[in-house]
Amino acid sequence: MSLSLRFAAGSHKGMIREGNEDSGYAGPRLLAIADGMGGQAAGEVASSEVISTLVQLDDDVPGSDLLTSLGTAVTRANDQLRVMVEEDPQLEGMGTTLTALLWTGQRLGLVHVGDSRAYLLRDGVLTQITQDHTWVQRLVDEGRITEEEATTHPQRSLLMRALGSGDHVEPDLSIREVRAGDRYLICSDGLSGVVSHQTLEETLASYHGPHETVQELIQLALRGGGPDNITCIVADVLDVDGNDAMAGQLNDTPVIVGAVAENQHQLSDPSTLQTPAARAAELGRPGAPAGPGGAFGPPGSGEHEVGGPPQGSFGAFMDEDFVKPRRRGRWLKRSLFIALALAVVGGGCYAGYNWTQTQYFVGAKEDHVALYRGISQDLAWIKLNDVDEDHPEIELKYLPLYQRNQVKETIAVDSRTQAGEKVTELNNQANACRIKEQREAAEREAARHPGKKGRAGTPSKPGSPSPSGSPSTKPGSTGKAGNDSGTGTAGTLSATVTPKPGPSTSQAAPSEEQKQLEKNCSTQQ
């Protein structure tokens, strides 16, 4: 029995995001999706670079040591991201997930980092074959929350593992034994986070081919609001020697989608067209022939090639592919709807803006924490948020990595009171990490110079910096911080930020609460 893959891929930026930071590649031997993250266009840079590095695996049939090939490729991609950040500091903070399947003809090697997912549909039952590397999944594994609670947890997108986030990343590697009739799905969380497991199962179990299934899955995510970029690959395992009617429709033309397809100009040198990725990119250029049969594009994509690249050749889906054909006629009814919409749009916009000014979130301002009023998105030239309360004393560098990422991505809250509580929580954590760092530095200094004054435990002088980084309280001062009223969040924080006069904080034994907070500091870097 000779097995082969029939595949399709598609990507859409969704309804909210301005650009697409996902990248996807589907070829005869490699299926891969990377979901980039990081501002200043770094997310799409990271995902594109990882996919471009990984496609080399599609050139040759992998040897017997399948997992070593995958692991080496992932390490090479991670190293390349670190080199890019060193060469361009503006890319600092970029990273990407990666979920990929490598096909040998009888087996599939699976590599996974992050929260993009891989699923297997076998005998009508859909199984998730990857485990999310997220904070919420860790809470589920520890029994602290349920699977159902995880789907709505506010921190469900907080990654614990991603490419580009450190010198070394340990991916999950495994071997999958395949059967004829298996169907695999790889997708970014723009699909799995919106469409339920049951709906995914029902859609994949339908009798539609990979291309139609990809298009339907993206449409389901858009109907669910499309809050994130949506990218997915569907691949069927077929018996080429058998009587499988679908085997005659096999097409090994590589498909690239998302950010890596948009960056295809990087492969413009004809001498580089020896790799599957380069050949796939070439298909997307104006005047280049479409893939055999145009099997992987939207229906009818081969009929409208004038004025732009044949999108169907590399699986990109546009908004119009998900809109039903318009009916002609009924102009009067349409005009009435338009008039009604224009009548309410002014009032709706005004009411919407007023609503945004009742919302709050915690975010980053330069290198520290700030409390904002409004929402984190802007509407064209209209700024929908302002700093409500600045907290330069809470420096991002003292927060653990996961909290630092939370702040950078902004933390939504339900009320002004909850916002104050979140700021206090971050302040306590930052203070704990700052005190721990200064105490350890003092201990190291004392160990190097045992007889030198100023070692750990030496009382601080009035007016000199305390271990927390704030001036010690002077006689007669009020201890207020933030605003002059001393009330609200700033007043609450002053008790935490300003230490009492007397011996250095590092001298006293840490409280249980302090010890618990310091445990989190190990994840700072």
Side-chain angles (χ1 to χ4, degrees), residues 184-423:
Y184 287 88
L185 166 67
I186 307 177
C187 64
S188 62
D189 64 340
L191 175 65
S192 59
V194 176
V195 181
S196 69
H197 186 96
Q198 181 179 355
T199 302
L200 288 177
E201 183 177 74
E202 292 171 354
T203 305
L204 291 166
S206 67
Y207 292 99
H208 296 144
H211 165 72
E212 293 80 4
T213 302
V214 165
Q215 188 175 21
E216 185 174 355
L217 289 171
I218 294 178
Q219 187 175 21
L220 286 170
L222 292 174
R223 287 175 180 173
D228 200 353
N229 305 145
I230 310 155
T231 304
C232 59
I233 298 172
V234 173
D236 292 339
V237 180
L238 303 179
D239 181 4
V240 179
D241 298 333
N243 296 323
D244 195 331
M246 307 303 288
Q249 302 180 25
L250 286 173
N251 188 337
D252 62 357
T253 303
V255 182
I256 57 174
V257 295
V260 68
E262 296 169 4
N263 295 333
Q264 59 186 286
H265 64 274
Q266 298 174 359
L267 302 173
S268 57
D269 184 354
S271 65
T272 66
L273 299 181
Q274 302 305 313
T275 67
R279 292 194 296 271
E282 183 66 13
L283 290 174
R285 299 194 181 95
F296 303 109
S301 61
E303 301 173 3
H304 307 285
E305 297 183 358
V306 179
Q311 299 286 348
S313 63
F314 53 77
F317 290 93
M318 308 303 290
D319 291 337
E320 53 266 28
D321 297 319
F322 302 98
V323 179
K324 295 182 179 179
R326 298 177 179 176
R327 297 181 179 181
R328 296 182 179 180
R330 300 183 179 180
W331 296 107
L332 178 59
K333 184 176 180 180
R334 180 179 300 176
S335 299
L336 290 174
F337 279 124
I338 293 174
L340 179 62
L342 291 176
V344 301
V345 67
C349 290
Y350 179 75
Y353 177 79
N354 283 343
W355 173 83
T356 65
Q357 299 310 294
T358 65
Q359 306 300 303
Y360 294 88
F361 67 92
V362 178
K365 181 184 177 185
E366 298 176 352
D367 60 351
H368 60 271
V369 172
L371 194 159
Y372 291 83
R373 183 179 68 241
I375 59 176
S376 57
Q377 291 84 17
D378 290 338
L379 181 62
W381 64 90
I382 302 175
K383 186 173 179 60
L384 299 179
N385 60 73
D386 288 296
V387 175
D388 185 71
E389 193 174 274
D390 199 9
H391 289 280
E393 74 278 3
I394 310 178
E395 298 180 71
L396 294 178
K397 66 180 181 180
Y398 289 116
L399 290 174
L401 180 59
Y402 76 92
Q403 282 190 330
R404 195 183 315 158
N405 289 336
Q406 277 185 294
V407 173
K408 289 179 180 179
E409 294 293 331
T410 73
I411 303 173
V413 293
D414 295 330
S415 65
R416 179 64 171 75
T417 301
Q418 190 180 77
E421 294 171 352
K422 175 55 69 173
V423 170

Side-chain angles (χ1 to χ4, degrees), residues 440-489:
E440 291 176 347
E443 290 171 352
R444 288 193 298 269
E445 181 66 19
R448 287 196 297 267
H449 307 286
K452 186 177 180 180
K453 293 184 179 180
R455 60 186 180 273
T458 301
S460 57
K461 298 180 181 179
S464 63
S466 67
S468 64
S470 303
S472 59
T473 306
K474 297 181 180 180
S477 66
T478 60
K480 294 182 181 179
N483 53 41
D484 293 334
S485 64
T487 60
T489 304

